[in-house]
Amino acid sequence: MNLSSLGFFRNIRKENQQFAVIGLGRFGRAVCGSLHRLGYEVLGTDIDEKRVAQVLTDQLAAHAVQLDSTEPAALKQAGIFEFDTVIIAIGNYLQESIITTLNVKEAGVHYVVAKASSEVHGTLLRRVGADHVVFPESEAGCALARSLTKPAILEHFELDPNNSIVEVMVPEEFHGRTVTEVELRSRYGLNLLAVGQSEKFEINPDPSRRLHKGQVMVVIGSNRDIDRLPI
Ligand code: ATP
């Protein structure tokens, strides 16, 4: 289970099959490659011809074209406005990122995801219509800090600033006890969503199920309550 990917992929509607990615830096290339591997139709674009060619050589997208995304005519000609979802992966060029977001939203693209490199950048992107703003560097930094300080938490999916779903190793203290006996809800205020091992999960586990060291639990609750787990 990869909870961290939910934040992005939950916003992709099921029927979406085609994506355009504008900006083929490390982030844009990673988005292209992941969508392509998942079997979706991806068009990658960049102002830099070499980056466009590299994406095709590395087979990270089915199609790639060179264009300047600050030019509405170039976007129209490339058919970008026909895509249901456009990902704007231009983090370091503030002006280009904002103008591109404005261009695609004004042309009626249904769902636009934009990468921000700072809070101010994120605010501006939302103001010009971005439907979803991501902060990959800051999100990766938070995830690293969490994994260093709480190694038993394998995955962390933030629902809002106060509440999360986490995938956590079964604490030593819970070993050999049933779901009922550990009193997750009454003692910790947490709800158990699944228990599993080696990628195989039992959803809504039976209250009589015993927990064992080495297994993984998926729980939902407030960050404060999650912090109280004996891990
Ligand atoms: P990262 O690797 O973290 O994604 P990066 O430095 O590779 O960062 P950015 O600087 O954010 O990426 O730029 C992403 C891409 O956007 C670059 O490949 C750049 O050529 C491209 N780009 C910049 N301006 C435009 C534009 N006007 N039209 C199309 N692509 C652009």
Side-chain angles (χ1 to χ4, degrees), residues 143-180:
L144 174 66
R146 268 197 305 266
S147 73
L148 293 171
T149 52
K150 293 246 176 208
I153 295 187
L154 306 176
E155 295 282 355
H156 187 126
F157 175 59
E158 207 170 76
L159 295 167
D160 63 35
N162 301 316
N163 301 292
S164 303
I165 298 175
V166 295
E167 193 182 62
V168 61
M169 298 302 293
V170 167
E172 186 99 33
E173 210 178 298
F174 294 178
H175 177 67
R177 294 162 70 193
T178 63
V179 171
T180 309

Side-chain angles (χ1 to χ4, degrees), residues 22-28 45-48 51 67-70 89-93 96 100 115 137:
I22 301 177
L24 299 171
R26 284 165 301 179
F27 178 75
T45 73
D46 201 288
I47 199 167
D48 181 341
R51 292 201 165 182
L67 57 77
D68 180 349
S69 59
T70 61
I90 306 176
N92 294 316
Y93 304 88
E96 283 77 358
T100 303
K115 171 189 165 172
E137 289 89 358

Side-chain angles (χ1 to χ4, degrees), residues 93-115:
Y93 304 88
L94 190 77
Q95 189 174 321
E96 283 77 358
S97 152
I98 303 296
I99 294 172
T100 303
T101 307
L102 190 64
N103 285 343
V104 290
K105 274 321 280 185
E106 286 216 318
V109 171
H110 172 76
Y111 192 65
V112 175
V113 183
K115 171 189 165 172

Side-chain angles (χ1 to χ4, degrees), residues 186-208:
S186 56
R187 275 184 67 194
Y188 297 96
L190 299 172
N191 276 303
L192 183 64
L193 301 177
V195 177
Q197 202 158 19
S198 316
E199 301 285 307
K200 225 177 153 230
F201 281 81
E202 182 187 334
I203 310 298
N204 290 329
D206 195 90
S208 63

Side-chain angles (χ1 to χ4, degrees), residues 21 24-38 40-44 51-64:
V21 177
L24 299 171
R26 284 165 301 179
F27 178 75
R29 287 164 56 84
V31 174
C32 273
S34 299
L35 289 169
H36 186 61
R37 275 193 302 279
L38 288 167
Y40 292 97
E41 189 90 0
V42 188
L43 168 68
R51 292 201 165 182
V52 171
Q54 196 61 48
V55 156
L56 291 173
T57 308
D58 296 344
Q59 298 186 346
L60 299 176
H63 318 278

